[in-house]
Amino acid sequence: MMNRENKPFIVIGGGIGGLATALGIAETKQYVKVLEQAPEFGEIGAGIQLAANATNVLQRLGVMDKINEIAVFPKRLVLMDAFSGKELSALDLGDVYKERYGAPYVVLHRSDLHKVLAEACESNPFIELVTNQTIIEAEESDGEVTVIASDGSHHSGTAIIGADGLWSNARKLFVEDQPVCSQYVAYRGAIPMEEVTSHGDLDDVYMWIGPNLHLVQYPVRRGELYNQVVVFKSSEYTKENEHTIHWGTPEEMDRIFAGTCELVQNAISFIQRQRRWPMYDRLPIDNWTKGRITLMGDAAHPMLQYLAQGACQALEDAAYLTDMLHKHGQDIEQAFVEYQKERIPRTANVQNSARMWGEIIHNTTDAGILLRDTILLSRTDKDFQFIDEFHGYNKKARESII
Ligand SMILES: Cc1cc2nc3c(=O)[nH]c(=O)nc-3n(C[C@H](O)[C@H](O)[C@H](O)COP(=O)(O)OP(=O)(O)OC[C@H]3O[C@@H](n4cnc5c(N)ncnc54)[C@H](O)[C@@H]3O)c2cc1C
């Protein structure tokens, strides 16, 4: 049973990464406090894709049965040309995929995933979830750590994990960098399945690509909702207007998608226009650990979403950190050092690859598009060479540790 006299691990931020980390730490039978800035734990109303490197972790955290009840298991991931409407390539996500990576590929609603993780935390006697705590300072002295919230509350603990996302305060302890604006924006949301005009198999994940734009579509919540993400590069972006809403507007979206095929244009007509997400990442850093303080998830390695790996990497972090805590027992400093030794090169590679994949799918030159499409059209749907290093990670990593 938990000994509350032991100071807790403090996780700053209760997103997907923070909650998974709390479940991992609790697995080592240590007390965890998750401090979340929002008035309640939750996620936005859009979908998320989780590859096997993530579902492997969810299996390990004991929440996969619940995920199975609400997720969709797509049969294929299909790349389409957004202008010609032709299929360029596909990846088999069925049994072959599952056998290869030891876990399935799932798509689901973010709030469903978050709810499953939050409920698992709530029912775990080692975990305490606290809301309305915007952490503005964190420090370590004499083997104890303290965080201070904007309302003046202090929380002391044995170690800190900064899981506070892209705009992380905890990251400022290590580096003074800023998120890098990609000049792309996303509009996203899930609509009732009845509103969808049929194209192909609605169980599949579709990615429609074209110069400076793409559209992703897949079902969520047992197939009751259809998630759509529209992404494009704004020519109205300037450094000066970066933090305003005057670039990447819905009107620009309509102009940019004007020449796309009918199915893509139809999808655009259903996209919600009230909220837009400017797309940011940051450059990889070579240290995010100091004594008993470390980072994870987007706080450590925010990436562009083009490989659908941001949350997957956060889940990998949570699992690897847990493994290191198991391995090193009370030597938390050593656990954190070994955690980042593995995770920094791994996540830097995924961050860089996500940028590169963005350049490939958004290519604007005739020669680049011809080369890309020739390669894509020549592969079979059982050719996994492009994704092995991303989706196959957990299995390999865990086999080498345990
Ligand atoms: C359009 C889009 C599509 C994406 N699609 C996918 C996908 O299909 N698959 C995938 O794997 N990834 C995807 N991602 C990436 C994924 O969403 C993120 O990588 C993931 O959510 C990161 O989780 P996190 O817990 O590290 O950070 P976050 O989800 O950002 O959570 C951070 C939490 O910390 C809280 N917080 C922030 N500051 C403080 C503070 N000072 N004090 C206390 N709490 C604080 C926040 O409120 C939040 O709850 C996508 C991203 C985008 C933008």
Side-chain angles (χ1 to χ4, degrees):
M1 206 40 205
M2 174 181 67
N3 176 5
R4 281 191 185 244
E5 280 165 14
N6 288 339
K7 293 267 184 192
F9 278 74
I10 293 176
V11 176
I12 307 173
I16 293 162
L19 295 182
T21 301
L23 289 171
I25 296 169
E27 190 189 289
T28 69
K29 307 225 174 311
Q30 300 184 80
Y31 178 44
V32 198
K33 201 186 235 187
V34 183
L35 303 172
E36 165 58 41
Q37 69 179 359
E40 53 192 52
F41 284 83
E43 254 284 359
I44 58 152
I48 192 159
Q49 306 180 57
L50 295 178
N53 55 323
T55 50
N56 257 309
V57 177
L58 295 173
Q59 272 167 11
R60 177 235 177 105
L61 295 176
V63 295
M64 206 52 201
D65 285 350
K66 294 266 188 242
I67 301 286
N68 288 343
E69 290 169 16
I70 40 154
V72 173
F73 297 82
K75 291 196 281 299
R76 295 197 317 156
L77 193 161
V78 190
L79 267 185
M80 306 285 290
D81 185 311
F83 286 84
S84 71
K86 292 208 174 101
E87 182 173 319
L88 294 171
S89 200
L91 186 71
D92 190 329
L93 299 176
D95 292 343
V96 187
Y97 178 95
K98 201 173 160 185
E99 269 161 38
R100 188 176 186 90
Y101 301 121
Y105 194 100
V106 300
V107 287
L108 69 169
H109 202 279
R110 277 171 182 265
S111 58
D112 293 343
L113 169 63
H114 196 275
K115 191 162 171 244
V116 166
L117 292 170
E119 283 176 358
C121 287
E122 274 159 11
S123 62
N124 190 310
F126 289 97
I127 302 174
E128 183 186 357
L129 302 180
V130 187
T131 51
N132 287 312
Q133 293 294 291
T134 302
I135 304 306
I136 50 172
E137 271 180 55
E139 58 180 33
E140 177 185 1
S141 71
D142 301 330
E144 192 174 293
V145 295
T146 309
V147 296
I148 304 172
S150 56
D151 65 1
S153 326
H154 284 54
H155 303 266
S156 61
T158 192
I160 296 170
I161 294 112
D164 49 347
L166 171 69
W167 299 95
S168 171
N169 273 342
R171 186 179 172 103
K172 293 178 190 155
L173 293 169
F174 302 99
V175 57
E176 287 181 6
D177 66 345
Q178 289 297 322
V180 180
C181 183
S182 68
Q183 306 181 25
Y184 278 80
V185 287
Y187 286 81
R188 56 181 168 171
I191 57 172
M193 199 49 119
E194 307 82 76
E195 291 179 18
V196 180
T197 312
S198 183
H199 64 76
D201 192 334
L202 289 179
D203 274 353
D204 290 342
V205 177
Y206 278 87
M207 186 175 205
W208 305 78
I209 61 173
N212 292 332
L213 60 83
H214 75 262
L215 159 72
V216 178
Q217 300 175 298
Y218 52 84
V220 293
R221 195 164 292 160
R222 296 175 290 265
E224 292 158 21
L225 297 172
Y226 201 55
N227 181 66
Q228 308 202 95
V229 189
V230 176
V231 177
F232 64 94
K233 186 175 186 180
S234 171
S235 60
E236 291 165 356
Y237 165 90
T238 63
K239 193 74 203 146
E240 289 68 43
N241 73 4
E242 179 176 322
H243 298 291
T244 73
I245 53 162
H246 301 307
W247 61 280
T249 59
E251 294 73 33
E252 191 180 9
M253 172 167 71
D254 289 336
R255 279 199 302 280
I256 285 181
F257 280 84
T260 54
C261 68
E262 206 183 321
L263 286 169
V264 172
Q265 296 221 28
N266 185 52
I268 305 294
S269 71
F270 284 103
I271 205 80
Q272 69 77 26
R273 289 155 183 257
Q274 292 75 40
R275 182 160 173 206
R276 78 199 224 302
W277 279 268
M279 305 280 90
Y280 288 88
D281 68 355
R282 299 199 199 220
L283 293 175
I285 49 175
D286 57 14
N287 178 55
W288 65 52
T289 293
K290 190 158 62 177
R292 288 166 171 251
I293 307 177
T294 194
L295 301 178
M296 63 88 56
D298 275 10
H301 44 70
M303 58 189 68
L304 297 173
Q305 83 278 18
Y306 306 141
L307 289 171
Q309 275 289 317
C312 298
Q313 291 305 308
L315 289 166
E316 280 188 11
D317 288 345
Y320 203 88
L321 185 62
T322 305
D323 288 337
M324 291 304 104
L325 291 172
H326 275 301
K327 184 173 167 190
H328 294 285
Q330 293 308 304
D331 192 351
I332 294 167
E333 285 93 340
Q334 191 55 30
F336 282 5
V337 164
E338 278 200 38
Y339 153 74
Q340 81 157 8
K341 191 169 160 215
E342 167 70 16
R343 297 303 301 159
I344 285 179
R346 162 73 177 162
T347 53
N349 178 38
V350 187
Q351 282 175 292
N352 293 332
S353 302
R355 277 193 180 192
M356 202 189 304
W357 181 238
E359 284 173 26
I360 292 169
I361 56 173
H362 299 141
N363 203 298
T364 54
T365 66
D366 289 347
I369 292 168
L370 177 68
L371 275 174
R372 177 195 68 199
D373 292 355
T374 306
I375 293 169
L376 287 175
L377 287 163
S378 70
R379 54 177 296 287
T380 74
D381 68 354
K382 300 206 173 32
D383 177 353
F384 295 94
Q385 64 166 318
F386 293 115
I387 60 156
D388 267 345
E389 65 173 314
F390 306 118
H391 298 202
Y393 169 82
N394 261 358
K395 208 163 166 243
K396 261 189 273 162
R398 288 185 56 69
E399 273 163 10
S400 66
I401 300 163
I402 296 167

